[in-house]
Amino acid sequence: MFTGIIESVVYVKAMQPVGGDIRLVIEANDLDFSDVKLGDSIASNGICLTVVEFGSNYYAVDVSRETIARTALEDLKIGHIVNLEKAMLPTTRFGGHIVAGHVDGVGVVSKLQQDARSIYIEIEIPEELAHYTATKGSITVDGISLTTNLVRDNIVSLNIIPHTAQVTNIAKHWLVGSKVNIEVDIVARYLERLLNKSQTGEMNAPSPQSTITEAFLADNGFMK
């Protein structure tokens, strides 16, 4: 589980073919790896990947063909900048929103321009994901927790403040035409499933009768 608050921008050091898959080696000179161990999850551009090797300033992850096909990793090259977030701890300050690291699809930056001190960006997302987004809702783009300005059909507009642009790959890597990883709000996905089940009758079993009464609440100090 992640929050979408990027801890560091890192660099692709190597891309090694391994049995039809790819092993990515990521160089991260300014990140503390003292709490990292083999098997840990690290979100790389929003993709939850498993650490299979690491050292004082790097980590390696194996990427399957399925992951490559469903994300923007197919455009990744040696030297590219990647957003990194280690898995959150129970004590982590929850500064973003609930991010699973499971990419739902690939979006394309369709507009990018300066807007006062921020950067105004429009991203075209897959049409099947559009109904999971909402104006002033949360969306994860390349692992970054962002708030949408407006959703119009399958176009999501965003304003990126200078700090966010500088501590992520946005200022250094995003251009019109850039492909980005999209993860929609996980809450929207579960709500849709619950509503669909309710409408199809799969969740119509009678609820157990509650034994909590007004008298019970009064006797146990919940009412004055």
Side-chain angles (χ1 to χ4, degrees):
M1 192 66 70
F2 306 92
T3 68
I5 303 300
I6 303 305
E7 295 181 69
S8 179
V9 287
V10 294
Y11 296 86
V12 178
K13 184 177 182 180
M15 300 179 70
Q16 305 163 348
V18 181
D21 295 331
I22 293 177
R23 176 164 294 184
L24 287 180
V25 181
I26 307 293
E27 184 177 342
N29 291 313
D30 60 346
L31 192 71
D32 179 14
F33 278 89
S34 62
D35 60 347
V36 173
K37 61 182 184 300
L38 290 179
D40 277 0
S41 295
I42 291 184
S44 308
N45 268 7
I47 309 165
C48 179
L49 297 171
T50 301
V51 175
V52 297
E53 181 186 331
F54 71 96
S56 60
N57 68 338
Y58 80 96
Y59 69 97
V61 293
D62 285 334
V63 185
S64 69
R65 286 183 290 180
E66 168 72 7
T67 300
I68 294 169
R70 291 184 174 270
T71 68
L73 282 182
E74 63 179 358
D75 288 344
L76 211 59
K77 303 240 180 343
I78 293 174
H80 273 198
I81 298 168
V82 175
N83 296 320
L84 182 150
E85 181 188 357
K86 293 184 286 187
M88 67 180 293
L89 301 171
T91 54
T92 302
R93 179 173 290 175
F94 212 142
H97 72 281
I98 298 172
V99 176
H102 302 155
V103 173
D104 293 302
V106 176
V108 177
V109 177
S110 57
K111 190 172 186 176
L112 188 151
Q113 63 188 37
Q114 203 67 32
D115 183 10
R117 293 178 60 244
S118 66
I119 303 173
Y120 175 81
I121 294 174
E122 290 185 358
I123 298 176
E124 183 178 346
I125 67 174
E127 290 185 4
E128 64 270 19
L129 299 180
H131 69 285
Y132 295 113
T133 61
T135 297
K136 299 305 177 186
S138 296
I139 191 168
T140 308
V141 185
D142 268 2
I144 311 163
S145 173
L146 297 171
T147 301
T148 60
N149 289 342
L150 183 68
V151 178
R152 186 181 70 257
D153 297 326
N154 66 323
I155 302 295
V156 175
S157 67
L158 310 158
N159 265 75
I160 311 299
I161 63 171
H163 173 78
T164 302
Q166 291 302 320
V167 300
T168 65
N169 67 346
I170 294 175
K172 307 174 184 69
H173 187 63
W174 288 14
L175 301 167
V176 171
S178 293
K179 294 180 180 178
V180 288
N181 294 315
I182 301 293
E183 180 183 334
V184 296
D185 191 348
I186 193 171
V187 176
R189 277 203 172 278
Y190 280 113
L191 281 175
E192 179 188 53
R193 181 165 174 78
L194 288 169
L195 288 171
N196 284 344
K197 278 182 170 289
S198 177
Q199 291 166 1
T200 56
E202 295 179 39
M203 297 183 66
N204 287 340
S207 299
Q209 185 66 37
S210 175
T211 58
I212 299 176
T213 63
E214 186 173 330
F216 173 88
L217 293 173
D219 291 343
N220 287 275
F222 291 99
M223 298 179 65
K224 292 184 180 180

PDB file of all heavy atoms in Angstrom, residues 47-80:
ATOM      1  N   ILE A  47       3.977   1.745 -10.133  1.00  0.00           N
ATOM      2  CA  ILE A  47       3.813   0.303 -10.291  1.00  0.00           C
ATOM      3  C   ILE A  47       4.427  -0.400  -9.083  1.00  0.00           C
ATOM      4  O   ILE A  47       5.609  -0.224  -8.787  1.00  0.00           O
ATOM      5  CB  ILE A  47       4.500  -0.200 -11.566  1.00  0.00           C
ATOM      6  CG1 ILE A  47       4.075   0.644 -12.772  1.00  0.00           C
ATOM      7  CG2 ILE A  47       4.208  -1.672 -11.802  1.00  0.00           C
ATOM      8  CD1 ILE A  47       4.965   0.454 -13.970  1.00  0.00           C
ATOM      9  N   CYS A  48       3.639  -1.178  -8.387  1.00  0.00           N
ATOM     10  CA  CYS A  48       4.139  -1.927  -7.234  1.00  0.00           C
ATOM     11  C   CYS A  48       5.010  -3.068  -7.740  1.00  0.00           C
ATOM     12  O   CYS A  48       4.524  -3.992  -8.394  1.00  0.00           O
ATOM     13  CB  CYS A  48       2.955  -2.471  -6.422  1.00  0.00           C
ATOM     14  SG  CYS A  48       3.456  -3.436  -4.986  1.00  0.00           S
ATOM     15  N   LEU A  49       6.317  -2.996  -7.453  1.00  0.00           N
ATOM     16  CA  LEU A  49       7.268  -4.002  -7.912  1.00  0.00           C
ATOM     17  C   LEU A  49       8.044  -4.553  -6.722  1.00  0.00           C
ATOM     18  O   LEU A  49       8.250  -3.861  -5.724  1.00  0.00           O
ATOM     19  CB  LEU A  49       8.227  -3.398  -8.939  1.00  0.00           C
ATOM     20  CG  LEU A  49       7.571  -2.902 -10.246  1.00  0.00           C
ATOM     21  CD1 LEU A  49       8.574  -2.124 -11.082  1.00  0.00           C
ATOM     22  CD2 LEU A  49       6.984  -4.058 -11.037  1.00  0.00           C
ATOM     23  N   THR A  50       8.484  -5.792  -6.827  1.00  0.00           N
ATOM     24  CA  THR A  50       9.150  -6.481  -5.730  1.00  0.00           C
ATOM     25  C   THR A  50      10.661  -6.376  -5.857  1.00  0.00           C
ATOM     26  O   THR A  50      11.227  -6.665  -6.917  1.00  0.00           O
ATOM     27  CB  THR A  50       8.746  -7.968  -5.712  1.00  0.00           C
ATOM     28  OG1 THR A  50       7.324  -8.064  -5.566  1.00  0.00           O
ATOM     29  CG2 THR A  50       9.417  -8.701  -4.560  1.00  0.00           C
ATOM     30  N   VAL A  51      11.302  -5.982  -4.769  1.00  0.00           N
ATOM     31  CA  VAL A  51      12.761  -5.862  -4.740  1.00  0.00           C
ATOM     32  C   VAL A  51      13.380  -7.256  -4.745  1.00  0.00           C
ATOM     33  O   VAL A  51      13.118  -8.074  -3.856  1.00  0.00           O
ATOM     34  CB  VAL A  51      13.224  -5.088  -3.494  1.00  0.00           C
ATOM     35  CG1 VAL A  51      14.749  -5.069  -3.409  1.00  0.00           C
ATOM     36  CG2 VAL A  51      12.679  -3.669  -3.520  1.00  0.00           C
ATOM     37  N   VAL A  52      14.207  -7.551  -5.765  1.00  0.00           N
ATOM     38  CA  VAL A  52      14.861  -8.859  -5.852  1.00  0.00           C
ATOM     39  C   VAL A  52      16.358  -8.752  -5.580  1.00  0.00           C
ATOM     40  O   VAL A  52      17.044  -9.773  -5.429  1.00  0.00           O
ATOM     41  CB  VAL A  52      14.617  -9.515  -7.232  1.00  0.00           C
ATOM     42  CG1 VAL A  52      13.126  -9.784  -7.426  1.00  0.00           C
ATOM     43  CG2 VAL A  52      15.155  -8.654  -8.367  1.00  0.00           C
ATOM     44  N   GLU A  53      16.852  -7.520  -5.532  1.00  0.00           N
ATOM     45  CA  GLU A  53      18.283  -7.282  -5.263  1.00  0.00           C
ATOM     46  C   GLU A  53      18.427  -5.812  -4.908  1.00  0.00           C
ATOM     47  O   GLU A  53      17.694  -4.967  -5.430  1.00  0.00           O
ATOM     48  CB  GLU A  53      19.106  -7.616  -6.506  1.00  0.00           C
ATOM     49  CG  GLU A  53      20.619  -7.428  -6.350  1.00  0.00           C
ATOM     50  CD  GLU A  53      21.353  -7.651  -7.679  1.00  0.00           C
ATOM     51  OE1 GLU A  53      20.863  -8.434  -8.514  1.00  0.00           O
ATOM     52  OE2 GLU A  53      22.401  -7.009  -7.877  1.00  0.00           O
ATOM     53  N   PHE A  54      19.346  -5.502  -3.995  1.00  0.00           N
ATOM     54  CA  PHE A  54      19.570  -4.090  -3.690  1.00  0.00           C
ATOM     55  C   PHE A  54      20.947  -3.902  -3.069  1.00  0.00           C
ATOM     56  O   PHE A  54      21.571  -4.846  -2.563  1.00  0.00           O
ATOM     57  CB  PHE A  54      18.478  -3.539  -2.765  1.00  0.00           C
ATOM     58  CG  PHE A  54      18.535  -4.049  -1.347  1.00  0.00           C
ATOM     59  CD1 PHE A  54      19.169  -3.319  -0.346  1.00  0.00           C
ATOM     60  CD2 PHE A  54      17.956  -5.260  -1.006  1.00  0.00           C
ATOM     61  CE1 PHE A  54      19.230  -3.784   0.955  1.00  0.00           C
ATOM     62  CE2 PHE A  54      18.008  -5.733   0.294  1.00  0.00           C
ATOM     63  CZ  PHE A  54      18.639  -4.996   1.279  1.00  0.00           C
ATOM     64  N   GLY A  55      21.413  -2.648  -3.146  1.00  0.00           N
ATOM     65  CA  GLY A  55      22.670  -2.269  -2.525  1.00  0.00           C
ATOM     66  C   GLY A  55      22.500  -0.923  -1.854  1.00  0.00           C
ATOM     67  O   GLY A  55      21.376  -0.465  -1.618  1.00  0.00           O
ATOM     68  N   SER A  56      23.602  -0.260  -1.562  1.00  0.00           N
ATOM     69  CA  SER A  56      23.534   1.015  -0.838  1.00  0.00           C
ATOM     70  C   SER A  56      22.891   2.128  -1.654  1.00  0.00           C
ATOM     71  O   SER A  56      22.358   3.089  -1.098  1.00  0.00           O
ATOM     72  CB  SER A  56      24.938   1.444  -0.401  1.00  0.00           C
ATOM     73  OG  SER A  56      25.774   1.597  -1.543  1.00  0.00           O
ATOM     74  N   ASN A  57      22.930   2.015  -2.981  1.00  0.00           N
ATOM     75  CA  ASN A  57      22.377   3.094  -3.805  1.00  0.00           C
ATOM     76  C   ASN A  57      21.600   2.579  -5.032  1.00  0.00           C
ATOM     77  O   ASN A  57      21.459   3.290  -6.026  1.00  0.00           O
ATOM     78  CB  ASN A  57      23.495   4.028  -4.270  1.00  0.00           C
ATOM     79  CG  ASN A  57      24.432   3.363  -5.257  1.00  0.00           C
ATOM     80  OD1 ASN A  57      24.518   2.134  -5.310  1.00  0.00           O
ATOM     81  ND2 ASN A  57      25.123   4.167  -6.043  1.00  0.00           N
ATOM     82  N   TYR A  58      21.115   1.334  -4.962  1.00  0.00           N
ATOM     83  CA  TYR A  58      20.337   0.826  -6.092  1.00  0.00           C
ATOM     84  C   TYR A  58      19.400  -0.284  -5.615  1.00  0.00           C
ATOM     85  O   TYR A  58      19.555  -0.854  -4.533  1.00  0.00           O
ATOM     86  CB  TYR A  58      21.258   0.282  -7.186  1.00  0.00           C
ATOM     87  CG  TYR A  58      21.779  -1.114  -6.911  1.00  0.00           C
ATOM     88  CD1 TYR A  58      21.135  -2.236  -7.449  1.00  0.00           C
ATOM     89  CD2 TYR A  58      22.884  -1.329  -6.099  1.00  0.00           C
ATOM     90  CE1 TYR A  58      21.588  -3.510  -7.181  1.00  0.00           C
ATOM     91  CE2 TYR A  58      23.347  -2.595  -5.832  1.00  0.00           C
ATOM     92  CZ  TYR A  58      22.699  -3.698  -6.370  1.00  0.00           C
ATOM     93  OH  TYR A  58      23.142  -4.954  -6.096  1.00  0.00           O
ATOM     94  N   TYR A  59      18.424  -0.576  -6.454  1.00  0.00           N
ATOM     95  CA  TYR A  59      17.602  -1.766  -6.247  1.00  0.00           C
ATOM     96  C   TYR A  59      17.226  -2.331  -7.610  1.00  0.00           C
ATOM     97  O   TYR A  59      17.261  -1.627  -8.626  1.00  0.00           O
ATOM     98  CB  TYR A  59      16.360  -1.468  -5.402  1.00  0.00           C
ATOM     99  CG  TYR A  59      15.319  -0.594  -6.070  1.00  0.00           C
ATOM    100  CD1 TYR A  59      14.206  -1.133  -6.716  1.00  0.00           C
ATOM    101  CD2 TYR A  59      15.433   0.795  -6.026  1.00  0.00           C
ATOM    102  CE1 TYR A  59      13.253  -0.326  -7.305  1.00  0.00           C
ATOM    103  CE2 TYR A  59      14.478   1.611  -6.621  1.00  0.00           C
ATOM    104  CZ  TYR A  59      13.395   1.047  -7.255  1.00  0.00           C
ATOM    105  OH  TYR A  59      12.454   1.851  -7.851  1.00  0.00           O
ATOM    106  N   ALA A  60      16.897  -3.613  -7.638  1.00  0.00           N
ATOM    107  CA  ALA A  60      16.524  -4.276  -8.886  1.00  0.00           C
ATOM    108  C   ALA A  60      15.164  -4.932  -8.720  1.00  0.00           C
ATOM    109  O   ALA A  60      14.828  -5.452  -7.647  1.00  0.00           O
ATOM    110  CB  ALA A  60      17.571  -5.318  -9.271  1.00  0.00           C
ATOM    111  N   VAL A  61      14.372  -4.897  -9.790  1.00  0.00           N
ATOM    112  CA  VAL A  61      13.040  -5.508  -9.785  1.00  0.00           C
ATOM    113  C   VAL A  61      12.844  -6.273 -11.087  1.00  0.00           C
ATOM    114  O   VAL A  61      13.375  -5.892 -12.130  1.00  0.00           O
ATOM    115  CB  VAL A  61      11.928  -4.440  -9.644  1.00  0.00           C
ATOM    116  CG1 VAL A  61      11.974  -3.784  -8.271  1.00  0.00           C
ATOM    117  CG2 VAL A  61      12.034  -3.374 -10.738  1.00  0.00           C
ATOM    118  N   ASP A  62      12.096  -7.351 -11.013  1.00  0.00           N
ATOM    119  CA  ASP A  62      11.742  -8.102 -12.211  1.00  0.00           C
ATOM    120  C   ASP A  62      10.376  -7.635 -12.706  1.00  0.00           C
ATOM    121  O   ASP A  62       9.433  -7.489 -11.921  1.00  0.00           O
ATOM    122  CB  ASP A  62      11.702  -9.602 -11.915  1.00  0.00           C
ATOM    123  CG  ASP A  62      13.092 -10.196 -11.772  1.00  0.00           C
ATOM    124  OD1 ASP A  62      14.041  -9.633 -12.355  1.00  0.00           O
ATOM    125  OD2 ASP A  62      13.239 -11.223 -11.076  1.00  0.00           O
ATOM    126  N   VAL A  63      10.274  -7.413 -14.005  1.00  0.00           N
ATOM    127  CA  VAL A  63       9.030  -6.928 -14.610  1.00  0.00           C
ATOM    128  C   VAL A  63       8.555  -7.958 -15.632  1.00  0.00           C
ATOM    129  O   VAL A  63       9.280  -8.286 -16.569  1.00  0.00           O
ATOM    130  CB  VAL A  63       9.247  -5.566 -15.298  1.00  0.00           C
ATOM    131  CG1 VAL A  63       7.918  -5.029 -15.807  1.00  0.00           C
ATOM    132  CG2 VAL A  63       9.888  -4.568 -14.338  1.00  0.00           C
ATOM    133  N   SER A  64       7.340  -8.471 -15.425  1.00  0.00           N
ATOM    134  CA  SER A  64       6.798  -9.489 -16.327  1.00  0.00           C
ATOM    135  C   SER A  64       6.293  -8.856 -17.621  1.00  0.00           C
ATOM    136  O   SER A  64       6.072  -7.645 -17.705  1.00  0.00           O
ATOM    137  CB  SER A  64       5.646 -10.233 -15.649  1.00  0.00           C
ATOM    138  OG  SER A  64       4.527  -9.371 -15.488  1.00  0.00           O
ATOM    139  N   ARG A  65       6.063  -9.678 -18.619  1.00  0.00           N
ATOM    140  CA  ARG A  65       5.525  -9.191 -19.889  1.00  0.00           C
ATOM    141  C   ARG A  65       4.125  -8.622 -19.707  1.00  0.00           C
ATOM    142  O   ARG A  65       3.729  -7.681 -20.395  1.00  0.00           O
ATOM    143  CB  ARG A  65       5.525 -10.323 -20.922  1.00  0.00           C
ATOM    144  CG  ARG A  65       6.913 -10.652 -21.451  1.00  0.00           C
ATOM    145  CD  ARG A  65       6.880 -11.724 -22.513  1.00  0.00           C
ATOM    146  NE  ARG A  65       6.525 -13.016 -21.919  1.00  0.00           N
ATOM    147  CZ  ARG A  65       6.426 -14.150 -22.630  1.00  0.00           C
ATOM    148  NH1 ARG A  65       6.633 -14.136 -23.932  1.00  0.00           N
ATOM    149  NH2 ARG A  65       6.112 -15.273 -22.030  1.00  0.00           N
ATOM    150  N   GLU A  66       3.360  -9.193 -18.775  1.00  0.00           N
ATOM    151  CA  GLU A  66       2.020  -8.684 -18.484  1.00  0.00           C
ATOM    152  C   GLU A  66       2.094  -7.244 -17.986  1.00  0.00           C
ATOM    153  O   GLU A  66       1.333  -6.376 -18.433  1.00  0.00           O
ATOM    154  CB  GLU A  66       1.364  -9.570 -17.418  1.00  0.00           C
ATOM    155  CG  GLU A  66       0.087  -9.017 -16.811  1.00  0.00           C
ATOM    156  CD  GLU A  66      -1.113  -9.046 -17.746  1.00  0.00           C
ATOM    157  OE1 GLU A  66      -0.993  -9.616 -18.844  1.00  0.00           O
ATOM    158  OE2 GLU A  66      -2.160  -8.494 -17.375  1.00  0.00           O
ATOM    159  N   THR A  67       3.034  -6.976 -17.051  1.00  0.00           N
ATOM    160  CA  THR A  67       3.191  -5.622 -16.517  1.00  0.00           C
ATOM    161  C   THR A  67       3.653  -4.655 -17.599  1.00  0.00           C
ATOM    162  O   THR A  67       3.157  -3.528 -17.694  1.00  0.00           O
ATOM    163  CB  THR A  67       4.190  -5.622 -15.342  1.00  0.00           C
ATOM    164  OG1 THR A  67       3.695  -6.477 -14.306  1.00  0.00           O
ATOM    165  CG2 THR A  67       4.383  -4.225 -14.779  1.00  0.00           C
ATOM    166  N   ILE A  68       4.576  -5.089 -18.422  1.00  0.00           N
ATOM    167  CA  ILE A  68       5.075  -4.235 -19.507  1.00  0.00           C
ATOM    168  C   ILE A  68       3.936  -3.870 -20.458  1.00  0.00           C
ATOM    169  O   ILE A  68       3.801  -2.720 -20.885  1.00  0.00           O
ATOM    170  CB  ILE A  68       6.207  -4.943 -20.277  1.00  0.00           C
ATOM    171  CG1 ILE A  68       7.429  -5.123 -19.365  1.00  0.00           C
ATOM    172  CG2 ILE A  68       6.598  -4.142 -21.521  1.00  0.00           C
ATOM    173  CD1 ILE A  68       8.485  -6.035 -19.926  1.00  0.00           C
ATOM    174  N   ALA A  69       3.081  -4.845 -20.760  1.00  0.00           N
ATOM    175  CA  ALA A  69       2.000  -4.621 -21.721  1.00  0.00           C
ATOM    176  C   ALA A  69       0.936  -3.672 -21.184  1.00  0.00           C
ATOM    177  O   ALA A  69       0.282  -2.970 -21.957  1.00  0.00           O
ATOM    178  CB  ALA A  69       1.355  -5.958 -22.095  1.00  0.00           C
ATOM    179  N   ARG A  70       0.760  -3.617 -19.857  1.00  0.00           N
ATOM    180  CA  ARG A  70      -0.336  -2.851 -19.265  1.00  0.00           C
ATOM    181  C   ARG A  70       0.099  -1.511 -18.672  1.00  0.00           C
ATOM    182  O   ARG A  70      -0.715  -0.813 -18.083  1.00  0.00           O
ATOM    183  CB  ARG A  70      -1.026  -3.681 -18.181  1.00  0.00           C
ATOM    184  CG  ARG A  70      -1.801  -4.853 -18.733  1.00  0.00           C
ATOM    185  CD  ARG A  70      -2.546  -5.599 -17.649  1.00  0.00           C
ATOM    186  NE  ARG A  70      -3.391  -6.634 -18.196  1.00  0.00           N
ATOM    187  CZ  ARG A  70      -4.659  -6.463 -18.564  1.00  0.00           C
ATOM    188  NH1 ARG A  70      -5.208  -5.266 -18.449  1.00  0.00           N
ATOM    189  NH2 ARG A  70      -5.372  -7.468 -19.046  1.00  0.00           N
ATOM    190  N   THR A  71       1.365  -1.188 -18.815  1.00  0.00           N
ATOM    191  CA  THR A  71       1.877   0.060 -18.249  1.00  0.00           C
ATOM    192  C   THR A  71       2.694   0.817 -19.291  1.00  0.00           C
ATOM    193  O   THR A  71       2.838   0.372 -20.427  1.00  0.00           O
ATOM    194  CB  THR A  71       2.762  -0.220 -17.019  1.00  0.00           C
ATOM    195  OG1 THR A  71       3.969  -0.888 -17.453  1.00  0.00           O
ATOM    196  CG2 THR A  71       2.057  -1.097 -15.998  1.00  0.00           C
ATOM    197  N   ALA A  72       3.219   1.968 -18.862  1.00  0.00           N
ATOM    198  CA  ALA A  72       4.058   2.770 -19.749  1.00  0.00           C
ATOM    199  C   ALA A  72       5.527   2.343 -19.684  1.00  0.00           C
ATOM    200  O   ALA A  72       6.396   3.023 -20.237  1.00  0.00           O
ATOM    201  CB  ALA A  72       3.931   4.250 -19.392  1.00  0.00           C
ATOM    202  N   LEU A  73       5.810   1.217 -19.054  1.00  0.00           N
ATOM    203  CA  LEU A  73       7.197   0.761 -18.939  1.00  0.00           C
ATOM    204  C   LEU A  73       7.808   0.411 -20.286  1.00  0.00           C
ATOM    205  O   LEU A  73       9.027   0.422 -20.446  1.00  0.00           O
ATOM    206  CB  LEU A  73       7.277  -0.463 -18.013  1.00  0.00           C
ATOM    207  CG  LEU A  73       7.219  -0.202 -16.511  1.00  0.00           C
ATOM    208  CD1 LEU A  73       7.366  -1.504 -15.747  1.00  0.00           C
ATOM    209  CD2 LEU A  73       8.293   0.781 -16.069  1.00  0.00           C
ATOM    210  N   GLU A  74       6.959   0.096 -21.272  1.00  0.00           N
ATOM    211  CA  GLU A  74       7.513  -0.276 -22.577  1.00  0.00           C
ATOM    212  C   GLU A  74       8.278   0.879 -23.213  1.00  0.00           C
ATOM    213  O   GLU A  74       9.113   0.661 -24.091  1.00  0.00           O
ATOM    214  CB  GLU A  74       6.389  -0.747 -23.502  1.00  0.00           C
ATOM    215  CG  GLU A  74       5.364   0.318 -23.824  1.00  0.00           C
ATOM    216  CD  GLU A  74       4.286  -0.196 -24.768  1.00  0.00           C
ATOM    217  OE1 GLU A  74       4.379  -1.371 -25.180  1.00  0.00           O
ATOM    218  OE2 GLU A  74       3.367   0.581 -25.090  1.00  0.00           O
ATOM    219  N   ASP A  75       8.001   2.120 -22.765  1.00  0.00           N
ATOM    220  CA  ASP A  75       8.714   3.281 -23.314  1.00  0.00           C
ATOM    221  C   ASP A  75       9.919   3.685 -22.466  1.00  0.00           C
ATOM    222  O   ASP A  75      10.608   4.658 -22.772  1.00  0.00           O
ATOM    223  CB  ASP A  75       7.761   4.480 -23.417  1.00  0.00           C
ATOM    224  CG  ASP A  75       6.736   4.293 -24.533  1.00  0.00           C
ATOM    225  OD1 ASP A  75       6.950   3.411 -25.386  1.00  0.00           O
ATOM    226  OD2 ASP A  75       5.727   5.007 -24.542  1.00  0.00           O
ATOM    227  N   LEU A  76      10.135   2.947 -21.358  1.00  0.00           N
ATOM    228  CA  LEU A  76      11.236   3.293 -20.455  1.00  0.00           C
ATOM    229  C   LEU A  76      12.574   2.975 -21.106  1.00  0.00           C
ATOM    230  O   LEU A  76      12.729   1.957 -21.788  1.00  0.00           O
ATOM    231  CB  LEU A  76      11.083   2.502 -19.155  1.00  0.00           C
ATOM    232  CG  LEU A  76      11.602   3.143 -17.864  1.00  0.00           C
ATOM    233  CD1 LEU A  76      10.910   4.475 -17.611  1.00  0.00           C
ATOM    234  CD2 LEU A  76      11.383   2.194 -16.694  1.00  0.00           C
ATOM    235  N   LYS A  77      13.550   3.869 -20.864  1.00  0.00           N
ATOM    236  CA  LYS A  77      14.883   3.672 -21.413  1.00  0.00           C
ATOM    237  C   LYS A  77      15.915   3.946 -20.307  1.00  0.00           C
ATOM    238  O   LYS A  77      15.621   4.588 -19.303  1.00  0.00           O
ATOM    239  CB  LYS A  77      15.136   4.644 -22.579  1.00  0.00           C
ATOM    240  CG  LYS A  77      14.116   4.526 -23.714  1.00  0.00           C
ATOM    241  CD  LYS A  77      14.793   4.151 -24.996  1.00  0.00           C
ATOM    242  CE  LYS A  77      13.857   4.001 -26.183  1.00  0.00           C
ATOM    243  NZ  LYS A  77      12.440   3.859 -25.964  1.00  0.00           N
ATOM    244  N   ILE A  78      17.130   3.457 -20.532  1.00  0.00           N
ATOM    245  CA  ILE A  78      18.213   3.718 -19.584  1.00  0.00           C
ATOM    246  C   ILE A  78      18.416   5.233 -19.476  1.00  0.00           C
ATOM    247  O   ILE A  78      18.477   5.940 -20.487  1.00  0.00           O
ATOM    248  CB  ILE A  78      19.514   3.024 -20.046  1.00  0.00           C
ATOM    249  CG1 ILE A  78      19.349   1.502 -19.964  1.00  0.00           C
ATOM    250  CG2 ILE A  78      20.705   3.472 -19.193  1.00  0.00           C
ATOM    251  CD1 ILE A  78      20.510   0.725 -20.539  1.00  0.00           C
ATOM    252  N   GLY A  79      18.508   5.731 -18.241  1.00  0.00           N
ATOM    253  CA  GLY A  79      18.665   7.156 -18.002  1.00  0.00           C
ATOM    254  C   GLY A  79      17.357   7.867 -17.711  1.00  0.00           C
ATOM    255  O   GLY A  79      17.370   9.014 -17.256  1.00  0.00           O
ATOM    256  N   HIS A  80      16.212   7.226 -17.977  1.00  0.00           N
ATOM    257  CA  HIS A  80      14.925   7.841 -17.688  1.00  0.00           C
ATOM    258  C   HIS A  80      14.731   8.026 -16.187  1.00  0.00           C
ATOM    259  O   HIS A  80      15.239   7.250 -15.378  1.00  0.00           O
ATOM    260  CB  HIS A  80      13.794   6.976 -18.239  1.00  0.00           C
ATOM    261  CG  HIS A  80      13.466   7.290 -19.666  1.00  0.00           C
ATOM    262  ND1 HIS A  80      12.294   6.925 -20.279  1.00  0.00           N
ATOM    263  CD2 HIS A  80      14.173   7.949 -20.621  1.00  0.00           C
ATOM    264  CE1 HIS A  80      12.274   7.336 -21.531  1.00  0.00           C
ATOM    265  NE2 HIS A  80      13.416   7.957 -21.765  1.00  0.00           N
TER     266      HIS A  80
END
